[in-house]
Amino acid sequence: MIKILKIFRIIESVLGILIIIATSVLYFMDIISGGASGIISTVGMGIFIHANNLSEKDNKTE
């Protein structure tokens, strides 16, 4: 069970980073506007921070 949670956290971290990178690329290619880029980047940062917080809690309990 713990290995599944660690894998989920890794996937969540990678997903957050990919969202941030993708929005930057799409913004500079003029595919999405600045407002949409900001909103999507905020979602990506939220996902990444959530995964980081879960990892820190897991490290404290072990």
Side-chain angles (χ1 to χ4, degrees):
M1 182 69 176
I2 293 174
K3 288 187 178 188
I4 294 172
L5 291 175
K6 287 185 179 183
I7 292 171
F8 177 72
R9 289 182 190 125
I10 291 170
I11 292 171
E12 193 175 19
S13 296
V14 170
L15 181 65
I17 292 170
L18 287 177
I19 289 174
I20 294 166
I21 292 171
T23 53
S24 299
V25 170
L26 293 174
Y27 175 72
F28 287 115
M29 292 176 63
D30 289 333
I31 295 175
I32 58 175
S33 67
S37 174
I39 292 169
I40 297 170
S41 292
T42 303
V43 169
M45 282 299 295
I47 291 171
F48 182 74
I49 291 170
H50 181 259
N52 189 29
N53 288 341
L54 289 178
S55 295
E56 287 178 5
K57 288 179 185 176
D58 188 41
N59 289 338
K60 288 180 183 177
T61 57
E62 285 183 358

